[in-house]
Coordinates of all heavy atoms in Angstrom, one line a residue:
M153 N 6.0 -9.0 -6.1 CA 5.9 -7.6 -6.6 C 7.4 -7.2 -6.6 O 8.2 -7.3 -5.6 CB 5.2 -6.8 -5.6 CG 5.2 -5.2 -6.0 SD 4.4 -4.1 -4.8 CE 2.7 -4.7 -5.1
S154 N 7.8 -6.6 -7.7 CA 9.2 -6.0 -7.7 C 9.1 -4.7 -7.1 O 8.3 -3.8 -7.6 CB 9.6 -5.9 -9.2 OG 10.7 -5.1 -9.3
T155 N 10.0 -4.5 -6.1 CA 9.8 -3.2 -5.4 C 11.0 -2.3 -5.6 O 11.1 -1.3 -4.9 CB 9.7 -3.4 -3.8 OG1 10.8 -4.3 -3.5 CG2 8.5 -4.2 -3.5
D156 N 11.9 -2.7 -6.5 CA 13.0 -1.8 -6.9 C 12.6 -0.4 -7.1 O 13.2 0.6 -6.7 CB 13.8 -2.3 -8.0 CG 14.6 -3.5 -7.6 OD1 14.7 -3.9 -6.4 OD2 15.0 -4.3 -8.6
R157 N 11.5 -0.2 -8.0 CA 11.0 1.1 -8.3 C 10.3 1.8 -7.1 O 10.0 3.0 -7.2 CB 9.9 0.9 -9.4 CG 10.5 0.4 -10.7 CD 9.4 0.2 -11.8 NE 8.5 -0.8 -11.4 CZ 8.7 -2.0 -11.9 NH1 9.7 -2.4 -12.6 NH2 7.8 -2.9 -11.5
L158 N 10.1 1.2 -6.0 CA 9.4 1.7 -4.8 C 10.4 2.2 -3.8 O 9.9 2.7 -2.7 CB 8.3 0.8 -4.3 CG 7.3 0.3 -5.4 CD1 6.3 -0.6 -4.6 CD2 6.6 1.5 -5.9
T159 N 11.7 2.2 -4.1 CA 12.6 2.6 -3.0 C 12.4 4.1 -2.8 O 12.3 4.9 -3.8 CB 14.0 2.4 -3.6 OG1 14.2 1.0 -3.7 CG2 15.1 2.8 -2.5
G160 N 12.4 4.5 -1.6 CA 12.1 5.9 -1.2 C 10.7 6.2 -1.1 O 10.3 7.4 -1.0
A161 N 9.8 5.2 -1.0 CA 8.3 5.4 -0.8 C 8.0 6.2 0.5 O 8.7 6.0 1.5 CB 7.6 4.1 -0.9
A162 N 7.1 7.1 0.4 CA 6.8 7.9 1.5 C 6.2 7.0 2.7 O 6.4 7.3 3.9 CB 5.7 8.9 1.1
C163 N 5.6 5.9 2.4 CA 5.0 5.0 3.4 C 6.1 4.4 4.3 O 6.0 3.9 5.4 CB 4.2 3.9 2.8 SG 4.9 2.9 1.7
A164 N 7.4 4.3 3.7 CA 8.5 3.7 4.4 C 9.3 4.7 5.3 O 10.2 4.3 6.0 CB 9.4 3.1 3.4
R165 N 8.9 5.9 5.2 CA 9.6 6.9 6.1 C 9.2 6.6 7.6 O 8.1 6.3 7.9 CB 9.2 8.3 5.7 CG 9.7 8.8 4.3 CD 9.3 10.1 3.9 NE 9.6 10.4 2.5 CZ 9.0 11.1 1.7 NH1 7.9 11.7 2.1 NH2 9.4 11.3 0.5
P166 N 10.2 6.9 8.4 CA 9.9 6.6 9.8 C 8.6 7.2 10.4 O 7.9 6.7 11.2 CB 11.2 7.1 10.5 CG 12.3 7.0 9.6 CD 11.6 7.3 8.2
V167 N 8.3 8.5 10.0 CA 7.2 9.1 10.5 C 5.9 8.5 10.0 O 4.8 8.7 10.6 CB 7.3 10.7 10.1 CG1 7.0 10.8 8.6 CG2 6.3 11.5 10.8
N168 N 5.9 7.7 9.0 CA 4.7 7.1 8.4 C 4.5 5.6 8.6 O 3.4 5.1 8.3 CB 4.7 7.4 6.8 CG 4.6 8.8 6.6 OD1 4.0 9.6 7.2 ND2 5.3 9.2 5.5
V169 N 5.6 4.9 9.0 CA 5.5 3.5 9.2 C 4.5 3.0 10.2 O 4.1 1.9 10.1 CB 6.9 2.8 9.4 CG1 7.8 3.0 8.2 CG2 7.6 3.2 10.6
G170 N 4.1 3.9 11.2 CA 3.2 3.5 12.1 C 1.7 3.5 11.6 O 0.8 3.0 12.4
L171 N 1.5 4.0 10.5 CA 0.1 4.0 10.0 C -0.3 2.5 9.6 O 0.5 1.8 9.4 CB 0.1 5.0 8.8 CG 0.2 6.4 9.0 CD1 0.3 7.1 7.8 CD2 -1.0 6.9 9.8
P172 N -1.6 2.3 9.7 CA -2.0 0.9 9.5 C -2.1 0.5 8.0 O -3.2 0.1 7.4 CB -3.4 0.9 10.1 CG -3.9 2.3 10.0 CD -2.7 3.2 10.1
W173 N -1.0 0.5 7.3 CA -0.8 0.2 5.9 C -1.5 -1.2 5.6 O -1.9 -1.4 4.4 CB 0.5 0.3 5.4 CG 1.1 1.6 5.6 CD1 1.9 2.1 6.5 CD2 0.8 2.8 4.8 NE1 2.3 3.4 6.3 CE2 1.5 3.9 5.3 CE3 0.0 3.0 3.8 CZ2 1.5 5.1 4.8 CZ3 0.0 4.3 3.2 CH2 0.7 5.4 3.7
I174 N -1.4 -2.2 6.4 CA -1.9 -3.4 6.2 C -3.1 -3.9 6.9 O -3.5 -5.0 7.0 CB -0.7 -4.5 6.1 CG1 -0.2 -4.5 7.6 CG2 0.3 -4.2 5.1 CD1 0.9 -5.7 7.8
S175 N -3.7 -2.9 7.6 CA -4.8 -3.2 8.5 C -6.0 -3.7 7.6 O -6.1 -3.2 6.5 CB -5.3 -2.0 9.3 OG -6.4 -2.2 10.0
E176 N -6.8 -4.7 8.1 CA -7.9 -5.1 7.3 C -9.1 -4.2 7.6 O -10.1 -4.3 6.8 CB -8.3 -6.5 7.7 CG -7.3 -7.5 7.3 CD -7.6 -9.0 7.7 OE1 -8.8 -9.2 8.1 OE2 -6.8 -9.9 7.6
N177 N -9.0 -3.3 8.5 CA -10.2 -2.5 8.8 C -9.7 -1.2 9.3 O -10.0 -0.8 10.5 CB -11.1 -3.2 9.8 CG -12.4 -2.5 10.0 OD1 -12.8 -1.7 9.1 ND2 -13.1 -2.7 11.0
P178 N -8.9 -0.3 8.7 CA -8.4 0.9 9.1 C -9.6 1.8 9.3 O -10.6 1.8 8.6 CB -7.5 1.4 8.0 CG -8.0 0.7 6.8 CD -8.5 -0.6 7.2
T179 N -9.5 2.8 10.2 CA -10.5 3.8 10.4 C -10.6 4.8 9.2 O -9.6 4.9 8.5 CB -10.2 4.5 11.7 OG1 -9.1 5.3 11.5 CG2 -10.1 3.7 12.9
A180 N -11.6 5.5 9.1 CA -11.7 6.6 8.1 C -10.6 7.6 8.3 O -10.0 8.1 7.3 CB -13.1 7.2 8.1
S181 N -10.3 7.9 9.4 CA -9.2 8.9 9.8 C -7.8 8.3 9.3 O -7.0 9.0 8.6 CB -9.2 9.2 11.2 OG -8.1 10.0 11.5
A182 N -7.6 7.0 9.6 CA -6.4 6.5 9.1 C -6.2 6.4 7.6 O -5.2 6.6 7.1 CB -6.2 5.0 9.7
R183 N -7.4 6.0 7.0 CA -7.4 6.0 5.5 C -7.0 7.4 5.0 O -6.4 7.5 4.0 CB -8.7 5.5 5.0 CG -8.9 4.0 5.1 CD -10.0 3.4 4.3 NE -11.3 4.0 4.6 CZ -12.1 3.5 5.6 NH1 -11.7 2.5 6.4 NH2 -13.2 4.1 5.8
A184 N -7.7 8.4 5.5 CA -7.4 9.9 5.1 C -5.8 10.2 5.3 O -5.3 10.8 4.4 CB -8.3 10.8 5.8
D185 N -5.3 9.8 6.4 CA -3.9 10.1 6.7 C -3.1 9.3 5.6 O -2.1 9.9 5.2 CB -3.5 9.6 8.1 CG -4.1 10.5 9.2 OD1 -4.5 11.6 9.0 OD2 -4.1 10.0 10.3
M186 N -3.4 8.1 5.3 CA -2.6 7.3 4.4 C -2.7 7.9 3.0 O -1.7 8.0 2.3 CB -3.0 5.8 4.5 CG -2.5 5.1 5.8 SD -2.8 3.4 5.9 CE -4.6 3.3 6.0
A187 N -3.9 8.3 2.7 CA -4.2 8.9 1.4 C -3.3 10.3 1.3 O -2.7 10.5 0.1 CB -5.5 9.2 1.2
R188 N -3.1 11.0 2.3 CA -2.3 12.2 2.3 C -0.8 11.8 2.1 O -0.2 12.5 1.3 CB -2.5 13.0 3.6 CG -3.8 13.9 3.5 CD -3.8 14.9 4.6 NE -4.0 14.3 6.0 CZ -5.1 13.9 6.4 NH1 -6.2 14.2 5.8 NH2 -5.3 13.4 7.6
V189 N -0.4 10.8 2.7 CA 1.0 10.3 2.5 C 1.2 10.0 1.1 O 2.2 10.3 0.4 CB 1.3 9.1 3.5 CG1 2.7 8.6 3.1 CG2 1.3 9.6 4.9
C190 N 0.2 9.1 0.5 CA 0.3 8.7 -0.9 C 0.4 9.9 -1.8 O 1.0 9.9 -2.9 CB -0.7 7.7 -1.2 SG -0.6 6.1 -0.4
A191 N -0.4 10.9 -1.6 CA -0.6 12.1 -2.5 C 0.8 12.8 -2.7 O 1.0 13.4 -3.7 CB -1.6 13.0 -1.9
S192 N 1.6 12.8 -1.6 CA 2.9 13.4 -1.7 C 4.1 12.5 -1.9 O 5.3 12.9 -1.8 CB 3.2 14.3 -0.4 OG 3.3 13.4 0.7
C193 N 3.8 11.2 -2.3 CA 4.8 10.3 -2.5 C 5.6 10.4 -3.7 O 5.0 10.5 -4.8 CB 4.3 8.8 -2.4 SG 5.5 7.5 -2.4
P194 N 6.9 10.4 -3.6 CA 7.7 10.5 -4.9 C 7.6 9.3 -5.8 O 8.0 9.4 -7.0 CB 9.1 10.8 -4.4 CG 9.1 10.1 -3.0 CD 7.8 10.3 -2.5
V195 N 7.1 8.2 -5.3 CA 7.0 7.0 -6.2 C 5.6 6.6 -6.4 O 5.3 5.4 -6.7 CB 7.9 5.9 -5.7 CG1 9.4 6.2 -5.7 CG2 7.6 5.4 -4.3
A196 N 4.6 7.5 -6.2 CA 3.2 7.1 -6.3 C 2.8 6.5 -7.6 O 2.1 5.5 -7.7 CB 2.4 8.3 -6.0
A197 N 3.3 7.1 -8.7 CA 3.0 6.5 -10.0 C 3.5 5.2 -10.2 O 2.8 4.2 -10.7 CB 3.6 7.5 -11.1
A198 N 4.7 4.8 -9.8 CA 5.3 3.5 -9.9 C 4.5 2.5 -8.9 O 4.2 1.4 -9.4 CB 6.7 3.5 -9.4
C199 N 4.0 2.9 -7.8 CA 3.3 2.2 -6.9 C 1.9 1.9 -7.5 O 1.5 0.7 -7.6 CB 3.0 2.9 -5.6 SG 2.1 2.0 -4.3
A200 N 1.3 2.9 -8.2 CA 0.0 2.7 -8.9 C 0.2 1.7 -10.0 O -0.7 0.7 -10.2 CB -0.6 4.0 -9.3
R201 N 1.2 1.7 -10.7 CA 1.4 0.7 -11.8 C 1.7 -0.6 -11.3 O 1.2 -1.6 -11.8 CB 2.7 1.2 -12.7 CG 2.4 2.3 -13.6 CD 3.5 2.5 -14.6 NE 4.8 2.8 -14.0 CZ 5.2 4.1 -13.6 NH1 4.4 5.1 -13.7 NH2 6.3 4.3 -13.0
E202 N 2.4 -0.8 -10.2 CA 2.6 -2.1 -9.5 C 1.3 -2.7 -9.1 O 1.0 -3.8 -9.4 CB 3.6 -2.0 -8.4 CG 5.0 -1.9 -8.8 CD 5.6 -3.1 -9.4 OE1 5.3 -4.2 -9.0 OE2 6.5 -2.9 -10.3
V203 N 0.5 -2.0 -8.4 CA -0.6 -2.5 -7.8 C -1.8 -2.7 -9.0 O -2.5 -3.7 -8.8 CB -1.3 -1.5 -6.7 CG1 -2.0 -0.4 -7.4 CG2 -2.1 -2.3 -5.8
A204 N -1.7 -2.0 -10.0 CA -2.6 -2.3 -11.2 C -2.2 -3.5 -11.9 O -3.1 -4.2 -12.4 CB -2.6 -1.1 -12.1
S205 N -1.0 -4.0 -11.8 CA -0.6 -5.1 -12.6 C -0.5 -6.4 -11.7 O -0.2 -7.5 -12.2 CB 0.9 -4.8 -13.2 OG 1.8 -4.7 -12.1
K206 N -0.8 -6.3 -10.5 CA -0.8 -7.5 -9.5 C -2.2 -7.7 -8.9 O -3.0 -6.8 -8.9 CB 0.2 -7.3 -8.4 CG 1.6 -6.9 -8.8 CD 2.3 -8.0 -9.5 CE 3.7 -7.6 -9.8 NZ 4.1 -7.8 -11.2
E207 N -2.4 -8.9 -8.5 CA -3.7 -9.2 -7.8 C -3.5 -8.7 -6.4 O -3.1 -9.4 -5.4 CB -3.9 -10.7 -7.8 CG -4.3 -11.2 -9.2 CD -4.6 -12.7 -9.2 OE1 -4.8 -13.3 -8.2 OE2 -4.7 -13.3 -10.3
T208 N -3.9 -7.5 -6.2 CA -3.7 -6.9 -4.8 C -5.0 -6.8 -4.1 O -6.0 -6.1 -4.6 CB -3.2 -5.4 -5.0 OG1 -2.0 -5.5 -5.8 CG2 -2.9 -4.8 -3.6
T209 N -5.1 -7.6 -2.9 CA -6.3 -7.7 -2.3 C -6.3 -7.3 -0.8 O -7.1 -7.6 0.0 CB -6.8 -9.3 -2.3 OG1 -5.8 -10.0 -1.7 CG2 -7.0 -9.7 -3.7
A210 N -5.2 -6.6 -0.5 CA -5.0 -6.1 0.9 C -4.1 -5.0 0.9 O -3.2 -4.8 0.1 CB -4.4 -7.4 1.7
G211 N -4.2 -4.3 2.1 CA -3.4 -3.1 2.2 C -3.8 -1.9 1.6 O -4.8 -1.8 0.8
F212 N -3.1 -0.8 1.9 CA -3.4 0.5 1.4 C -2.3 0.8 0.4 O -1.1 0.9 0.8 CB -3.3 1.6 2.5 CG -4.1 2.8 2.1 CD1 -5.5 3.0 2.3 CD2 -3.4 3.9 1.5 CE1 -6.1 4.2 1.9 CE2 -4.0 5.0 1.1 CZ -5.4 5.2 1.4
W213 N -2.6 0.9 -0.9 CA -1.5 1.1 -1.8 C -1.9 2.2 -2.9 O -3.2 2.3 -3.2 CB -1.4 -0.2 -2.7 CG -0.9 -1.4 -2.0 CD1 -1.6 -2.3 -1.3 CD2 0.6 -1.8 -1.9 NE1 -0.7 -3.3 -0.7 CE2 0.6 -2.9 -1.1 CE3 1.7 -1.2 -2.4 CZ2 1.8 -3.6 -0.8 CZ3 2.9 -1.8 -2.1 CH2 2.9 -3.0 -1.3
A214 N -1.0 3.0 -3.3 CA -1.3 4.0 -4.3 C -2.5 4.9 -4.0 O -3.3 5.2 -4.9 CB -1.4 3.4 -5.7
G215 N -2.7 5.2 -2.7 CA -3.8 6.1 -2.3 C -5.1 5.5 -2.1 O -6.1 6.2 -2.0
A216 N -5.3 4.1 -2.1 CA -6.5 3.5 -2.0 C -6.4 2.2 -1.1 O -5.4 1.5 -1.1 CB -7.0 3.1 -3.4
D217 N -7.5 2.0 -0.4 CA -7.5 0.8 0.4 C -7.9 -0.4 -0.5 O -8.9 -0.4 -1.2 CB -8.7 1.0 1.5 CG -8.5 0.0 2.6 OD1 -8.2 -1.1 2.3 OD2 -8.9 0.3 3.7
R218 N -7.1 -1.4 -0.5 CA -7.3 -2.6 -1.3 C -7.9 -3.8 -0.6 O -7.8 -4.9 -1.2 CB -6.0 -3.0 -2.0 CG -5.2 -1.8 -2.7 CD -5.9 -1.4 -3.8 NE -5.3 -0.2 -4.3 CZ -5.5 0.3 -5.6 NH1 -6.4 -0.3 -6.4 NH2 -4.9 1.4 -6.0
N219 N -8.4 -3.6 0.6 CA -9.0 -4.6 1.3 C -10.2 -5.1 0.7 O -11.1 -4.3 0.3 CB -9.1 -4.4 2.8 CG -7.9 -4.3 3.5 OD1 -7.1 -5.1 3.6 ND2 -7.6 -3.0 4.1
D220 N -10.4 -6.4 0.5 CA -11.8 -7.0 0.0 C -13.0 -6.4 0.6 O -14.0 -6.1 0.0 CB -11.8 -8.5 0.0 CG -10.9 -9.1 -1.2 OD1 -10.6 -8.5 -2.2 OD2 -10.6 -10.3 -0.9
A221 N -12.9 -6.3 2.0 CA -14.1 -5.8 2.7 C -14.4 -4.4 2.4 O -15.5 -4.0 2.4 CB -13.9 -6.0 4.3
I222 N -13.4 -3.6 2.1 CA -13.7 -2.2 1.8 C -13.7 -2.0 0.3 O -14.5 -1.1 -0.1 CB -12.6 -1.3 2.5 CG1 -12.8 -1.5 4.0 CG2 -12.6 0.2 2.0 CD1 -11.7 -0.8 4.7
A223 N -13.1 -2.7 -0.5 CA -13.1 -2.6 -2.0 C -13.7 -3.8 -2.5 O -13.1 -4.7 -3.1 CB -11.7 -2.4 -2.5
P224 N -15.1 -3.8 -2.5 CA -15.8 -5.1 -3.0 C -15.6 -5.4 -4.5 O -15.9 -6.5 -4.9 CB -17.2 -4.9 -2.5 CG -17.4 -3.4 -2.4 CD -16.0 -2.9 -2.0
D225 N -15.2 -4.4 -5.2 CA -15.0 -4.5 -6.7 C -13.8 -5.4 -6.9 O -13.6 -5.8 -8.0 CB -14.8 -3.1 -7.3 CG -13.7 -2.3 -6.8 OD1 -13.5 -2.3 -5.6 OD2 -13.0 -1.7 -7.6
V226 N -12.9 -5.7 -5.9 CA -11.8 -6.5 -6.2 C -12.3 -7.9 -6.0 O -12.8 -8.3 -5.0 CB -10.7 -6.3 -5.1 CG1 -9.5 -7.2 -5.3 CG2 -10.2 -4.8 -5.2
P227 N -12.1 -8.8 -7.0 CA -12.7 -10.1 -6.9 C -12.1 -10.9 -5.7 O -10.9 -10.8 -5.4 CB -12.1 -10.8 -8.2 CG -11.8 -9.7 -9.1 CD -11.4 -8.6 -8.2
S228 N -13.1 -11.5 -4.9 CA -12.6 -12.3 -3.8 C -12.2 -13.6 -4.1 O -12.4 -14.0 -5.3 CB -13.7 -12.2 -2.7 OG -14.8 -12.8 -3.3
G229 N -11.7 -14.4 -3.2 CA -11.4 -15.7 -3.5 C -9.9 -15.9 -3.8 O -9.4 -16.9 -4.0
R230 N -9.2 -14.8 -3.9 CA -7.7 -14.8 -4.2 C -7.0 -14.7 -2.8 O -7.5 -14.2 -1.9 CB -7.4 -13.6 -5.1 CG -8.0 -13.6 -6.4 CD -7.6 -12.5 -7.3 NE -8.1 -11.3 -6.8 CZ -7.9 -10.3 -7.3 NH1 -7.3 -10.1 -8.5 NH2 -8.5 -9.1 -6.8
P231 N -5.8 -15.3 -2.8 CA -5.0 -15.3 -1.5 C -4.7 -13.7 -1.3 O -4.4 -13.0 -2.1 CB -3.9 -16.0 -1.8 CG -3.7 -16.1 -3.3 CD -5.1 -16.0 -3.9
V232 N -4.8 -13.5 0.1 CA -4.4 -12.1 0.5 C -2.8 -12.0 0.6 O -2.3 -12.9 1.3 CB -5.0 -11.8 1.8 CG1 -4.6 -10.5 2.4 CG2 -6.6 -11.8 1.6
Q233 N -2.3 -11.1 0.0 CA -0.9 -11.0 0.0 C -0.4 -10.3 1.3 O -1.1 -9.5 1.9 CB -0.4 -10.1 -1.1 CG -0.8 -8.7 -1.1 CD -0.5 -7.9 -2.3 OE1 -0.8 -8.4 -3.4 NE2 0.0 -6.7 -2.2
G234 N 0.8 -10.7 1.8 CA 1.4 -10.1 2.8 C 2.2 -8.9 2.4 O 2.7 -8.8 1.3
T235 N 2.5 -7.9 3.4 CA 3.2 -6.7 2.9 C 4.4 -6.5 3.8 O 5.1 -5.5 3.7 CB 2.3 -5.5 2.8 OG1 1.7 -5.4 4.1 CG2 1.3 -5.7 1.7
F236 N 4.7 -7.4 4.9 CA 5.8 -7.2 5.7 C 7.1 -7.5 5.0 O 7.2 -8.4 4.1 CB 5.7 -8.1 6.9 CG 4.7 -7.6 7.9 CD1 3.5 -8.3 8.2 CD2 4.8 -6.4 8.5 CE1 2.6 -7.9 9.1 CE2 4.0 -5.9 9.5 CZ 2.8 -6.7 9.7
N237 N 8.1 -6.7 5.3 CA 9.6 -7.0 4.8 C 9.6 -7.1 3.3 O 10.3 -8.0 2.8 CB 10.0 -8.4 5.5 CG 10.0 -8.3 6.9 OD1 10.4 -7.3 7.5 ND2 9.5 -9.3 7.6
L238 N 8.9 -6.2 2.6 CA 9.1 -6.1 1.2 C 10.5 -5.4 0.9 O 10.6 -4.3 1.3 CB 7.9 -5.3 0.5 CG 6.6 -6.1 0.4 CD1 5.6 -5.1 -0.1 CD2 6.7 -7.3 -0.4
P239 N 11.4 -6.1 0.2 CA 12.6 -5.5 -0.1 C 12.4 -4.2 -1.0 O 11.5 -4.3 -1.9 CB 13.5 -6.5 -0.8 CG 12.4 -7.5 -1.4 CD 11.3 -7.4 -0.3
G240 N 13.2 -3.2 -0.8 CA 13.1 -2.0 -1.7 C 12.2 -1.0 -1.0 O 12.1 0.1 -1.6
L241 N 11.4 -1.3 0.0 CA 10.7 -0.2 0.7 C 11.4 0.4 1.8 O 10.8 1.2 2.6 CB 9.3 -0.8 1.2 CG 8.4 -1.2 0.1 CD1 7.0 -1.8 0.7 CD2 8.0 0.0 -0.8
E242 N 12.6 0.1 1.9 CA 13.5 0.8 2.9 C 13.6 2.2 2.6 O 13.6 2.7 1.4 CB 14.9 0.1 3.0 CG 14.8 -1.3 3.4 CD 14.7 -2.2 2.1 OE1 14.8 -1.7 1.0 OE2 14.5 -3.4 2.3
V243 N 13.9 3.1 3.5 CA 14.1 4.5 3.3 C 15.4 4.7 2.7 O 16.4 4.0 3.1 CB 14.1 5.3 4.7 CG1 14.4 6.8 4.5 CG2 12.7 5.1 5.3
A244 N 15.5 5.3 1.6 CA 16.8 5.6 1.0 C 17.7 6.4 1.9 O 17.3 7.4 2.4 CB 16.6 6.3 -0.4
A245 N 19.0 6.0 2.0 CA 20.0 6.7 2.9 C 20.4 8.1 2.2 O 20.2 8.3 1.0 CB 21.1 5.8 3.1

């Protein structure tokens, strides 16, 4: 995933990095918290375009949980992507 367009993402802000963005089984409360962060994110549209153009089978992206277990409409059998250390998701200085 090209993350240049995602620089400054709200999920990368220090106050939000503790949310379970890549949890396989986030609570309903955590999903609601993450959705609120995404709703006010300055790069939400770019994130939605990225996730729509990639085989995304894990994590919380563009306001939605993309885990196969929670989103059964996502075809299974694809490798689950990792989301740690994605360049470009750093907080802009």
Side-chain angles (χ1 to χ4, degrees):
M153 176 184 295
S154 170
T155 58
D156 292 342
R157 294 179 291 269
L158 303 181
T159 298
C163 59
R165 294 178 186 149
V167 68
N168 297 323
V169 295
L171 290 170
W173 298 104
I174 59 169
S175 173
E176 292 182 14
N177 192 21
T179 65
S181 175
R183 285 193 303 274
D185 290 342
M186 291 183 287
R188 277 191 289 278
V189 170
C190 290
S192 65
C193 183
V195 297
C199 183
R201 283 189 299 276
E202 284 291 326
V203 81
S205 67
K206 307 292 185 233
E207 293 183 10
T208 306
T209 60
F212 199 92
W213 294 88
D217 196 327
R218 307 296 174 163
N219 290 302
D220 279 342
I222 294 175
D225 56 320
V226 176
S228 58
R230 295 183 290 187
V232 174
Q233 68 190 43
T235 55
F236 286 115
N237 301 320
L238 288 175
L241 288 181
E242 301 86 12
V243 177

